[in-house]
Amino acid sequence: MKKKTQQRITVKLFAEFFKSEKASGIILIACTAISLLLANSVFSSNYLHFWHTNFAGKPIEYWINDGLMTIFFLLIGLELKREIYQGELSSIKKALLPIFGALGGMIVPAGIFLLWNFGTSTQSGAGIPMATDIAFALAILSLLGNRVPISLKVFLTALAVIDDLGAIIVIALFYTETLLWTNLLIALGIFVLLLIFNRLKVKSLIPYLAGGILMWYFMLHSGVHATITGVLLAFTIPFGNGTEKSAAYVLQHFLHKPVAFWILPLFALVNTAIVVSSNMGEIVSQNYSLGIALGLIVGKPIGIFTLSLLSVKMGFCKLPTNLNWKSILGIGFLGGIGFTMSIFLTLLAFDDATIINNAKFMILISSLTAGIIGFISLKLSLKMKP
């Protein structure tokens, strides 16, 4: 009975997650279009200036990228935690197929980017084509309606969550500035204290959220990117038996809509305010542009498909009975929709404003291309249900 209750809760959360991400993806598309139009209109100067307006001593874009996006990472951490406890990552057998797919979808695109940029000033952008935007990817998948089997939705979701974990690890390891050890140790000390609260079965969310704010402050001033705090905080929140009354469930349920309908759209608005240059040929021919485009459009599907196929052929895992390799390839192309995480990594990888602007533009074009190919591929491979 207990197991059935847990399964019901997991299915309910997944359905809620899928619906929110589906709607969020559609809103993100609208926000991106609006932001691009404003950035290239007669209102361009005022629009760009607005995001650089100081608020409490820092630009508005700073509070969105370093503050609100921490809440996004907190939600990602809670989703990852639930997947580990009760979802597709709760057993090795379940987890191996999306894990292998995600690994291929990170290693191959990064390798392609480095092939074009190794030894240059832009090689730090290797993490950019590794990411998958789960909101956009699920929004595209949802356009196919009831022809999409639930196992394919779950595979894409698990793949993207693991991708996000990979991006978090990359941020922590490779996009860290000069460390200020005192602040870092204080932040980690708060993290350990919150873990102790968890072990002592402190169920109230108040001490965890208060500690999380303090941890964010010291992490922000340590040199490690502050958004990592969101993931660390998620793993201190009590999961219990995963019921609807557990702190982790309550917080995850509460965060879904604010993240989907406020935080990510704001991130899209501020970070897709891209002034499109008239010299398109020069932008596309840059090594970092080629690395991003080929990484997302070619590297992602090749990596996801190849390592998924190898893992099944070598007997590590099984392909679900209602899936075929054509649909896995289609999901591979949807994995090439980098957007949110790719743009976020761009902001960490580069300092030059022109390179950042051009890289964002290439991410948009490449993500759109990968999404269209993925949609057409899946439409041809998935049969319409009666």
Side-chain angles (χ1 to χ4, degrees):
M1 188 72 178
K2 185 178 178 183
K3 189 174 181 180
K4 285 185 178 179
T5 303
Q6 288 179 338
Q7 288 175 339
R8 178 180 61 81
I9 292 168
T10 301
V11 169
K12 180 181 176 182
L13 258 182
F14 177 79
E16 185 181 81
F17 171 76
F18 183 77
K19 286 178 183 177
S20 69
E21 292 297 329
K22 167 185 171 182
S24 175
I26 294 168
I27 292 171
L28 281 176
I29 293 169
C31 287
T32 300
I34 291 168
S35 189
L36 279 169
L37 285 172
L38 287 173
N40 292 277
S41 70
V42 293
F43 306 106
S44 176
S45 180
N46 290 333
Y47 181 65
L48 296 174
H49 177 72
F50 171 77
W51 297 118
H52 292 93
T53 304
N54 269 4
F55 175 77
K58 295 285 185 181
I60 292 174
E61 66 172 348
Y62 171 88
W63 293 114
I64 292 171
N65 291 335
D66 287 60
L68 292 182
M69 284 301 284
T70 304
I71 301 173
F72 165 73
F73 277 90
L74 171 58
L75 179 59
I76 290 293
L78 289 168
E79 287 160 354
L80 178 62
K81 187 173 184 175
R82 180 164 290 277
E83 288 292 322
I84 290 171
Y85 277 99
Q86 293 180 347
E88 286 303 298
L89 308 179
S90 61
S91 71
I92 294 296
K93 188 176 179 181
K94 280 184 177 181
L96 279 177
L97 185 62
I99 284 175
F100 274 105
L103 284 173
M106 290 186 281
I107 294 168
V108 176
I112 289 175
F113 187 94
L114 285 174
L115 188 66
W116 288 93
N117 293 271
F118 187 74
T120 70
S121 61
T122 54
Q123 69 175 6
S124 58
I128 296 170
M130 293 172 64
T132 295
D133 189 295
I134 192 168
F136 266 131
L138 287 176
I140 298 296
L141 192 64
S142 70
L143 297 176
L144 294 162
N146 66 352
R147 72 172 72 197
V148 182
I150 186 67
S151 56
L152 197 62
K153 295 175 185 176
V154 170
F155 175 74
L156 175 59
T157 303
L159 180 86
V161 168
I162 297 165
D163 238 350
D164 284 336
L165 175 61
I168 291 161
I169 293 170
V170 167
I171 291 168
L173 293 179
F174 301 107
Y175 296 112
T176 295
E177 300 169 7
T178 303
L179 287 177
L180 296 176
W181 285 100
T182 302
N183 288 336
L184 179 60
L185 290 173
I186 292 173
L188 293 177
I190 296 170
F191 173 62
V192 171
L193 180 63
L194 296 180
L195 287 176
I196 292 171
F197 285 173
N198 185 307
R199 297 297 294 174
L200 293 174
K201 300 188 184 303
V202 176
K203 295 181 180 179
S204 171
L205 278 169
I206 293 173
Y208 296 100
L209 296 180
I213 293 169
L214 284 173
M215 182 164 52
W216 175 84
Y217 175 83
F218 285 105
M219 194 70 80
L220 181 70
H221 294 89
S222 72
V224 176
H225 203 272
T227 50
I228 299 296
T229 306
V231 181
L232 294 178
L233 179 60
F235 279 87
T236 69
I237 306 293
F239 186 82
N241 55 9
T243 64
E244 294 182 12
K245 294 181 179 180
S246 70
Y249 180 96
V250 170
L251 186 57
Q252 185 178 348
H253 178 78
F254 175 80
L255 290 177
H256 267 150
K257 286 183 171 59
V259 168
F261 302 119
W262 290 102
I263 293 175
L264 288 180
L266 277 172
F267 178 84
L269 284 170
V270 70
N271 289 294
T272 57
I274 303 166
V275 178
V276 181
S277 170
S278 58
N279 196 350
M280 294 293 295
E282 186 178 337
I283 294 175
V284 175
S285 64
Q286 298 296 318
N287 285 352
Y288 60 86
S289 298
L290 292 170
I292 291 170
L294 293 174
L296 289 174
I297 300 170
V298 179
K300 270 289 185 180
I302 289 177
I304 291 170
F305 179 84
T306 303
L307 255 72
S308 296
L309 180 63
L310 285 174
S311 66
V312 170
K313 294 297 183 184
M314 294 174 74
F316 294 127
C317 48
K318 291 183 179 180
L319 187 70
T321 52
N322 56 348
L323 296 187
N324 57 54
W325 290 111
K326 289 181 180 178
S327 60
I328 295 296
L329 180 61
I331 290 296
F333 279 108
L334 292 189
I337 304 173
F339 197 72
T340 303
M341 290 302 291
S342 290
I343 289 175
F344 191 80
L345 285 162
T346 298
L347 299 175
L348 299 179
F350 303 134
D351 295 319
D352 186 283
T354 301
I355 293 177
I356 290 172
N357 186 81
N358 294 345
K360 286 180 181 179
F361 180 73
M362 289 307 300
I363 289 166
L364 290 181
I365 297 299
S366 303
S367 295
L368 177 63
T369 303
I372 291 172
I373 296 172
F375 175 79
I376 294 172
S377 174
L378 287 168
K379 190 171 184 179
L380 293 174
S381 64
L382 297 173
K383 295 179 181 179
M384 179 69 79
K385 292 178 184 177

